[in-house]
Amino acid sequence: MKCNLSRILGEKRLKVSDVARDTNINRGTITRLYNETATRVELEVIETLCLYLNVEIGELFEIESQPEQS
């Protein structure tokens, strides 16, 4: 699964610290999403980010297709 937070923040010219301050989401959580190292995310965090950034869940996250193994 790919998180597009870094691209979205770049397009909107927002910093991780701005998002953390404005949403009250832990900065570490946002940083892990930004760097795509998060392994688990609360649904409330996803909802808050989508509303704050005015994006759909499918814009924030997408499933990357895996190459088939022989």
Side-chain angles (χ1 to χ4, degrees), residues 17-48:
S17 57
D18 297 332
V19 178
R21 181 190 64 238
D22 294 345
T23 61
N24 291 321
I25 297 172
N26 181 286
R27 184 179 174 148
T29 300
I30 297 171
T31 299
R32 284 188 293 279
L33 286 168
Y34 185 92
N35 293 322
E36 296 189 60
T37 58
T39 56
R40 192 170 18 155
V41 184
E42 295 287 330
L43 293 175
E44 184 178 327
V45 169
I46 296 170
E47 179 182 13
T48 301

Side-chain angles (χ1 to χ4, degrees), residues 5 12 22 49 52 58:
L5 184 62
K12 295 180 180 283
D22 294 345
L49 282 174
Y52 176 75

